[in-house]
């Protein structure tokens, strides 16, 4: 029946359908006389009217068939007890706020709205996942193009010598570090200049003071900046979203002069006075610089350049001294 809570519905039509026994949740004590033949539409319509009238007279629900009261089954004590238990549980169920909420039209409408929103959210998450995956695939192709252009990988995806060196570096921008290693920039520096230049790769804090560099550091810094701009340009040509100026400024020479002079033997008080960056920040950069120098030395060994590896290790020895690497700053 298409009747809704017993209300009259002129469009309702009575239909005879087979129903599985498992779908029957209860049997009413009320009975309706069925016509001998339900195939004629008018016969089904008469039955529909009778059901609607009965539902209107019992708005709280049709009375259920009681095996004891209505059917007179009193000998089976287990059945009698089961009926009592069912009645008690049904009374408790009616008082349950969740049960009541399910029958509250306003609350049910809110729940239905929430269910629809949850379903829509799941659809959007699936779409987002697909979009992110597509974006990741596109970015992966672009980055692979950059690696080929910089000769980190071959045309067939094989990792080349520069790529093997880059794999050993994870404390700074490995593309720029390996570019400086392979373009000869590091080879032309003494151990003091080398330490000062590599400090730019640790991304130190920004200084408000104008950076004053020793003359011997100006040319290595220019080579670093040229290499960084070349990498940024190649990345942009490949389609990556990169700001060349922002990328270049991430390799600041704020502490270049500080570590150059520290490497040459000046005291911590002297080098700390060369910058407005806090002493604690200088020490933190020194610890990162130490780790980076070790990685660069290992990368040089991996590609078979023992001379450069030794130069990194000798340069790092000039860093690891004094208060910067003291076990406690209070000693």
């Amino acid at each position: 029946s298409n009747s809704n809570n017993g209300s009259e519905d002129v469009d309702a039509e009575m239909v005879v359908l087979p129903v599985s026994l498992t779908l029957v949740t209860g049997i009413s004590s009320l009975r309706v006389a069925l016509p001998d033949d339900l195939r004629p539409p008018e016969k089904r319509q008469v039955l529909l009217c009778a059901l609607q009238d009965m539902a209107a007279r019992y708005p709280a629900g049709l009375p259920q068939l009681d095996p004891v009261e209505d059917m007179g089954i009193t000998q089976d004590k287990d059945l009698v007890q089961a009926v009592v238990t069912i009645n008690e549980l049904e009374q408790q169920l009616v008082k349950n706020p969740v049960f009541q909420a399910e029958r509250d039209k306003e609350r049910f409408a809110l729940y239905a709205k929430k269910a629809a929103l949850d379903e829509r959210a799941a659809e959007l998450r699936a779409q987002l996942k697909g979009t992110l995956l597509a974006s990741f695939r596109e970015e992966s192709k672009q980055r692979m193009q950059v690696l080929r252009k910089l000769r980190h990988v071959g045309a067939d995806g094989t990792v080349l010598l520069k790529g093997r060196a880059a794999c050993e570096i994870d404390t700074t921008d490995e593309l720029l570090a390996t570019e400086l290693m392979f373009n000869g920039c590091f080879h032309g520096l003494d151990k003091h200049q080398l330490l000062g230049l590599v400090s730019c790769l640790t991304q130190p804090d920004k200084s408000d003071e104008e950076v004053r560099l020793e003359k011997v550091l100006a040319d290595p810094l220019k080579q670093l900046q040229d290499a960084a701009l070349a990498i940024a340009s190649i990345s942009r040509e490949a389609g990556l979203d990169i700001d060349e100026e922002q990328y270049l400024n991430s390799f600041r020479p704020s502490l270049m002069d500080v570590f150059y002079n520290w490497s040459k033997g000046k005291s911590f008080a002297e080098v700390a006075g060369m910058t407005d960056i806090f002493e604690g920040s200088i020490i933190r950069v020194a610890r990162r610089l130490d780790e980076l120098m070790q990685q660069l030395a290992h990368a040089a060994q991996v590609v078979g350049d023992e001379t450069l590896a030794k130069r990194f290790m000798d340069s790092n020895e000039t860093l690891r001294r004094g208060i910067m690497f003291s076990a406690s700053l209070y000693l």
Side-chain angles (χ1 to χ4, degrees), residues 49-317:
C49 292
L51 291 174
Q52 290 177 332
D53 179 64
M54 189 178 294
R57 283 189 286 130
Y58 296 94
L62 300 178
Q64 299 291 304
L65 182 66
D66 189 310
V68 178
E69 299 293 334
D70 298 323
M71 301 178 67
I73 303 176
T74 58
Q75 303 300 322
D76 191 336
K77 294 183 179 179
D78 291 338
L79 178 61
V80 173
Q81 183 58 44
V83 171
V84 173
T85 303
I86 290 173
N87 290 333
E88 291 176 352
L89 292 175
E90 287 179 344
Q91 290 176 7
Q92 294 177 22
L93 181 62
V94 171
K95 297 177 182 178
N96 186 282
V98 176
F99 181 85
Q100 295 174 353
E102 288 178 346
R103 284 146 185 81
D104 187 319
K105 291 183 179 180
E106 292 183 2
R107 288 190 178 184
F108 189 80
L110 292 174
Y111 175 80
K113 182 178 180 181
K114 179 181 180 301
L117 291 174
D118 287 342
E119 184 178 356
R120 178 59 179 159
E123 293 175 357
L124 292 175
R125 280 193 292 268
Q127 293 177 11
L128 178 62
K129 185 177 180 180
T131 302
L132 291 176
L133 183 59
S135 176
F136 174 78
R137 286 174 177 166
E138 181 63 24
E139 184 178 347
S140 179
K141 291 179 182 178
Q142 294 167 346
R143 291 191 179 279
M144 184 60 72
Q145 185 177 340
V146 172
L147 293 177
R148 289 195 183 99
K149 189 75 173 178
L150 293 174
R151 298 193 59 77
H152 283 253
V153 297
D156 59 351
T158 305
V159 179
L160 302 178
L161 201 59
K162 284 176 74 172
R164 290 175 58 192
C167 289
E168 304 299 324
I169 302 168
D170 61 13
T171 54
T172 187
D173 187 293
E174 60 274 10
L175 297 182
L176 179 57
T178 52
E179 201 63 28
L180 296 175
M181 184 182 298
F182 278 79
N183 69 5
C185 178
F186 288 151
H187 290 79
L189 306 177
D190 63 32
K191 59 185 179 181
H192 310 301
Q193 293 172 300
L194 185 58
L195 188 68
L197 182 63
V198 174
S199 72
C200 299
L201 299 176
T202 59
Q203 299 183 341
D205 296 342
K206 186 176 181 180
S207 172
D208 294 328
E209 292 184 344
E210 181 181 354
V211 179
R212 299 182 182 87
L213 294 178
E214 299 277 351
K215 291 184 179 180
V216 293
L217 299 177
D219 186 58
L221 177 62
K222 179 66 167 53
Q223 293 183 57
L224 182 150
Q225 292 173 336
D226 289 344
L229 284 174
I231 293 173
S233 177
I234 291 172
S235 300
R236 191 162 51 82
E237 289 173 3
L240 291 172
D241 183 14
I242 183 171
D243 186 317
E244 294 184 12
E245 184 177 353
Q246 185 178 0
Y247 179 73
L248 177 62
N249 291 336
S250 64
F251 307 107
R252 292 182 288 271
S254 333
L255 296 177
M256 194 176 182
D257 204 41
V258 168
F259 284 105
Y260 173 75
N261 284 280
W262 173 260
S263 176
K264 298 198 74 167
K266 287 193 176 182
S267 68
F268 184 74
E270 289 177 302
V271 298
M274 296 179 179
T275 179
D276 60 346
I277 295 177
F278 293 120
E279 290 85 347
S281 297
I282 295 175
I283 292 175
R284 283 194 296 273
V285 171
R287 302 294 175 88
R288 294 201 301 269
L289 181 56
D290 172 48
E291 185 179 3
L292 176 55
M293 292 294 283
Q294 293 181 51
Q295 289 185 357
L296 289 170
H298 188 60
Q301 289 176 333
V302 166
V303 299
D305 193 339
E306 294 294 339
T307 301
L308 183 58
K310 186 177 186 305
R311 187 169 300 174
F312 279 125
M313 290 186 285
D314 291 344
S315 178
N316 199 35
E317 285 301 316

Side-chain angles (χ1 to χ4, degrees), residues 16-27:
V16 180
L17 294 173
V19 177
S20 172
L21 188 60
T22 56
L23 298 178
V24 178
T25 59
I27 301 176

